[in-house]
Amino acid sequence: MSTIDSILVENRVFPPADAFRAAARVSGMEAYQALCDEANSDYEGFWARQARENLSWHRPFTQTLDESNAPFYRWFHDGQMNVSYNCIDRHLPELANKVALIFESDNGTVRRLTYAELSREVGQFANGLKSLGVTKGDRVIIYMPMGIEAVVAMQACARIGAIHSVVFGGFSAKSVNERIIDAGAKLIITANGSIRGGKVVPLKATTDEAIALGGCKTLERVVVFKRAEEKDAQIEWQKGRDIWWHDLVKGKPQYCEPTWVGADDPLFILYTSGSTGKPKGVQHSSAGYLLGAINSMQWVFDHKPDDIFWCTADVGWVTGHSFVAYGPLAVGGTQVIFEGIPTYPDAGRFWQMIERHHVTTFYTAPTAIRSLIKLGGDLPSQFDLSSLRLLGSVGEPINPEAWMWYHNVVGGGRCPIVDTWWQTETGSHMIAPLPGAVPTKPGSCTLPLPGIMADIVDEVGVPVEKGNGGILVIKRPFPSQVRTLWGDPDRFVKSYFPDEFKGRYYLAGDSAHRDDDGYFWIMGRIDDVLNVSGHRLGTMEIESALVANSQVAEAAVVGRPDPLKGEAIVAFVVLKGARPTGDEAKRMIAELRDWVGGQIGAIAKPEDIRFGDNLPKTRSGKIMRRLLRSIAKGEQITQDISTLENPAILQQLQENV
């Protein structure tokens, strides 16, 4: 068996500052190690303590972990609780007047909502849903703009025990249709439009189109929030089916008694879009999921009562579930919610918002960071970012050079960076630095959280030696992990607990290696591992080498079949300057190939380099690598590109120099 070769060398280390460490919830490596030792010596006792201390229970649990039907694990299953109660009600005695949500709209209008006001809005909308016949266990699709109402809708579903499935507002009618059918949704909550970059996106029209595609036999009602002016969002109206949000809540009581649910009852289904085939409906529990989000807020974000927390993710993604809709509220925090895009009305929007709202914790994706570098690497210095005390990264591995820019320019060299590895399926952070304890290294997600038994193994589940790459697995069940795939238990087992590991380990689907300090380095998806002349190379490391060049803003690397090497490396590159053509492009290709050779070695030199003004991304900012693989192979693009933000880029990237 061949391991995956690790080819990137990174020696920079940033220990926590003394002042940060002294004030941190988990202070110093000794405290981190003590938590890990507790989990190692009494795994169930550790998690039972976490659940009792961090969650409010209606009926306490007596059994911590039930492994009798592995891998369909159950946590705290005989306990009863309610997620919305844990996010709102339990804070009201002391925090009723504390601001829970600071909403900034696309046009800059700001609205603040206290915990008392949020309680009333959630209660009223929950009572509205009940009046439409929505009860415990019913599925509700939420297809909403980013805003307070999206959070209210999610919390209201949780309050009455309904199972929500949020669909990102950039998804197509086909995507919405598939999710309505698969979830067997009774109701969909949408808006007449969403506003992004000064433009109206027609959500209600897309909803109507989704329903018209057919098969939505379970769907009874459509609730519509009036976000856009009627003149800007012309909509069709089906009497008896469609109802305005404001009409639904009119006259409804502002308090709704929480529906107590079993700890392991489903809270939500979130579909992973998947590159091919039917989307997977990831099903998360109530108590275990919320416990994971709370621990992430406390341990990784070192949450303080006076923090202003801002996660830039849309609620359509798991990051927006855990760190917008649930996590910050569960710890009684104050957070910013942003409707727009980072480049409107100009590229300083994020930095302006941090200054305006005195944001202390900023959590965004490497894709956004790299784009912001390209738009103006010196822009952050024009704003007062002194309120920041902690920076976070999520969604994909962060290139070391992007990490350094984030650290030096945005954080002023004083803010720890928490590079977080986790997944839709894990619900909360798995591997990430505890910022008051763990020294950080640019590009590494560092060490597993206490209670997370991560390892790197070969294809048959044997642990690999430090320095060698392999397959990232989690060896023990954990409370926030996916319970099953909605309606497809066989696929769940096959996807995450495969036969080659005898069903013992959770398969993350990522390749990684560990350095001499035990730090984890994510090398990319398993299916992004390249086999070049017998060397198995992670795409992430080649991308990091490219981005380390001062002229490169962003890069994505894929493989294509090669009769000689097995696979050839194809790089798609966005430069900080204009896209080169002709002789200039040829010169740049030669320069970048030599650069990668110097950074890593000749084996990693790209065979082919293509330039674009940007990379093909979904509207959430994820690079659509399946499209790049097709382009690299010279194939016609036949896949669904409805979620693609910039379809015109494909033609650019298809051009050979």
Side-chain angles (χ1 to χ4, degrees):
M1 174 310 152
S2 58
T3 58
I4 302 166
D5 295 324
S6 172
I7 48 183
L8 186 72
V9 178
E10 177 58 63
N11 296 314
R12 292 170 289 193
V13 182
F14 295 83
D18 290 345
F20 194 102
R21 183 177 64 249
R25 281 177 173 269
V26 181
S27 177
M29 283 299 288
E30 299 81 6
Y32 163 77
Q33 197 56 54
L35 286 167
C36 293
D37 291 346
E38 182 191 348
N40 287 330
S41 62
D42 181 7
Y43 193 69
E44 288 190 30
F46 171 82
W47 283 116
R49 180 174 76 81
Q50 295 298 323
R52 290 189 181 109
E53 291 180 1
N54 289 297
L55 296 173
S56 298
W57 294 90
H58 180 66
R59 184 179 73 205
F61 60 91
T62 63
Q63 184 180 13
T64 304
L65 171 61
D66 177 4
E67 299 183 80
S68 61
N69 187 28
F72 300 95
Y73 302 105
R74 299 196 299 174
W75 284 90
F76 327 118
H77 72 95
D78 61 344
Q80 277 191 335
M81 53 84 73
N82 180 277
V83 167
S84 178
Y85 178 92
N86 274 268
C87 291
I88 300 172
D89 302 53
R90 66 173 175 167
H91 304 312
L92 293 177
E94 294 180 3
L95 304 177
N97 296 320
K98 181 179 181 178
V99 174
L101 307 175
I102 303 168
F103 171 64
E104 180 163 322
S105 69
D106 187 70
N107 68 5
T109 304
V110 175
R111 181 188 171 203
R112 290 176 170 82
L113 215 66
T114 65
Y115 274 91
E117 291 166 334
L118 179 62
S119 173
R120 292 193 286 271
E121 293 224 4
V122 169
Q124 205 164 36
F125 191 67
N127 284 322
L129 291 178
K130 286 170 79 171
S131 74
L132 297 179
V134 179
T135 60
K136 181 184 172 185
D138 285 339
R139 277 80 64 203
V140 174
I141 298 287
I142 298 174
Y143 185 53
M144 291 283 287
M146 195 56 188
I148 286 170
E149 287 73 23
V151 174
V152 167
M154 294 166 78
Q155 287 283 345
C157 287
R159 194 157 195 88
I160 62 175
I163 303 166
H164 64 67
S165 185
V166 183
V167 182
F168 173 57
F171 275 177
S172 64
K174 182 174 179 290
S175 297
V176 177
N177 172 269
E178 287 172 347
R179 287 153 176 75
I180 294 170
I181 295 169
D182 193 76
K186 188 173 190 173
L187 179 138
I188 182 164
I189 304 165
T190 188
N192 62 341
S194 71
I195 302 170
R196 287 172 60 85
K199 297 173 182 172
V200 174
V201 181
L203 294 183
K204 172 62 163 63
T206 306
T207 301
D208 290 342
E209 187 185 341
I211 298 168
L213 289 170
C216 305
K217 296 173 183 173
T218 57
L219 192 71
E220 296 175 5
R221 304 298 296 267
V222 178
V223 178
V224 187
F225 175 65
K226 189 177 177 182
R227 173 64 192 98
E229 296 294 326
E230 288 181 43
K231 62 180 176 58
D232 299 322
Q234 300 290 322
I235 58 172
E236 304 282 327
W237 199 258
Q238 187 168 314
K239 200 172 175 183
R241 184 196 74 183
D242 301 348
I243 181 169
W244 286 109
W245 177 301
H246 57 265
D247 287 336
L248 179 63
V249 300
K250 196 179 291 177
K252 298 291 190 299
Q254 292 182 335
Y255 177 74
C256 176
E257 187 71 31
T259 298
W260 304 110
V261 302
D264 238 28
D265 284 356
L267 174 64
F268 65 85
I269 306 162
L270 184 57
Y271 287 87
T272 58
S273 50
S275 55
T276 56
K278 176 184 159 188
K280 295 185 290 193
V282 171
Q283 179 183 313
H284 274 292
S285 71
S286 296
Y289 166 79
L290 193 65
L291 177 61
I294 290 171
N295 277 347
S296 293
M297 288 297 302
Q298 293 181 339
W299 288 342
V300 181
F301 293 126
D302 187 46
H303 179 72
K304 300 287 197 289
D306 57 351
D307 273 337
I308 308 294
F309 181 86
W310 182 18
C311 167
T312 65
D314 190 282
V315 290
W317 310 104
V318 74
T319 305
H321 281 56
S322 300
F323 301 111
V324 178
Y326 291 115
L329 296 174
V331 297
T334 299
Q335 64 168 315
V336 173
I337 297 178
F338 177 44
E339 179 179 44
I341 57 175
T343 54
Y344 180 83
D346 55 60
R349 183 68 182 272
F350 272 11
W351 319 127
Q352 183 191 55
M353 286 180 62
I354 291 170
E355 178 181 273
R356 181 185 303 144
H357 302 299
H358 308 291
V359 171
T360 60
T361 307
F362 181 62
Y363 192 38
T364 196
T367 297
I369 294 164
R370 290 190 296 264
S371 300
L372 290 162
I373 294 171
K374 181 175 170 62
L375 289 163
D378 60 342
L379 258 180
S381 58
Q382 299 174 27
F383 297 86
D384 180 5
L385 307 183
S386 60
S387 60
L388 287 171
R389 70 177 195 91
L390 185 67
L391 301 173
S393 170
V394 61
E396 59 185 303
I398 183 169
N399 315 93
E401 292 314 307
W403 193 103
M404 289 303 303
W405 178 86
Y406 201 26
H407 177 74
N408 291 328
V409 179
V410 179
R414 70 182 185 282
C415 300
I417 295 176
V418 289
D419 177 2
T420 61
W421 178 83
W422 60 298
Q423 301 175 309
T424 300
E425 293 88 346
T426 70
S428 60
H429 298 151
M430 297 286 103
I431 307 174
L434 275 56
V438 179
T440 54
K441 300 181 183 183
S444 171
C445 50
T446 69
L447 300 172
L449 267 59
I452 302 303
M453 307 304 178
D455 204 353
I456 300 169
V457 301
D458 64 17
E459 284 102 331
V460 292
V462 177
V464 302
E465 292 180 8
K466 284 181 181 176
N468 290 327
I471 298 163
L472 181 57
V473 297
I474 298 171
K475 301 174 88 165
R476 290 295 309 273
F478 50 95
S480 66
Q481 80 182 51
V482 54
R483 292 297 189 264
T484 187
L485 294 177
W486 180 260
D488 204 344
D490 291 343
R491 189 179 184 190
F492 167 72
V493 175
K494 190 177 174 185
S495 299
Y496 304 111
F497 296 91
D499 287 342
E500 47 267 42
F501 298 154
K502 301 182 175 60
R504 295 173 298 167
Y505 303 154
Y506 169 83
L507 175 68
D510 281 336
S511 59
H513 74 94
R514 229 173 344 197
D515 64 21
D516 289 341
D517 296 322
Y519 280 39
F520 284 73
W521 298 77
I522 306 300
M523 300 164 68
R525 297 294 294 167
I526 292 170
D527 55 8
D528 287 339
V529 173
L530 308 176
N531 195 329
V532 181
S533 302
H535 297 268
R536 300 178 77 219
L537 307 176
T539 56
M540 173 61 201
E541 296 187 296
I542 304 169
E543 290 168 7
S544 287
L546 283 161
V547 173
N549 184 292
S550 61
Q551 300 173 85
V552 176
E554 198 166 13
V557 168
V558 299
R560 72 168 180 228
D562 184 272
L564 189 63
K565 298 178 179 179
E567 275 189 293
I569 299 167
V570 182
F572 298 88
V573 173
V574 180
L575 297 178
K576 291 175 181 175
R579 183 173 77 96
T581 56
D583 288 343
E584 176 58 18
K586 289 176 182 173
R587 186 194 65 76
M588 197 69 217
I589 288 169
E591 185 177 327
L592 289 177
R593 290 187 78 248
D594 288 344
W595 171 265
V596 172
Q599 290 278 300
I600 295 173
I603 188 69
K605 282 186 178 183
E607 193 80 13
D608 184 4
I609 297 178
R610 313 276 183 96
F611 298 102
D613 291 329
N614 44 55
L615 297 174
K617 295 173 185 174
T618 64
R619 293 181 183 91
S620 69
K622 265 203 169 172
I623 298 167
M624 296 183 75
R625 293 174 188 275
R626 60 185 171 89
L627 296 179
L628 296 179
R629 289 190 197 99
S630 292
I631 293 170
K633 293 174 188 174
E635 298 171 345
Q636 288 292 110
I637 303 294
T638 57
Q639 303 109 308
D640 178 21
I641 58 170
S642 60
T643 61
L644 191 61
E645 189 171 41
N646 48 354
I649 293 301
L650 298 179
Q651 192 172 346
Q652 278 187 7
L653 298 175
Q654 285 168 326
E655 294 172 13
N656 267 316
V657 176

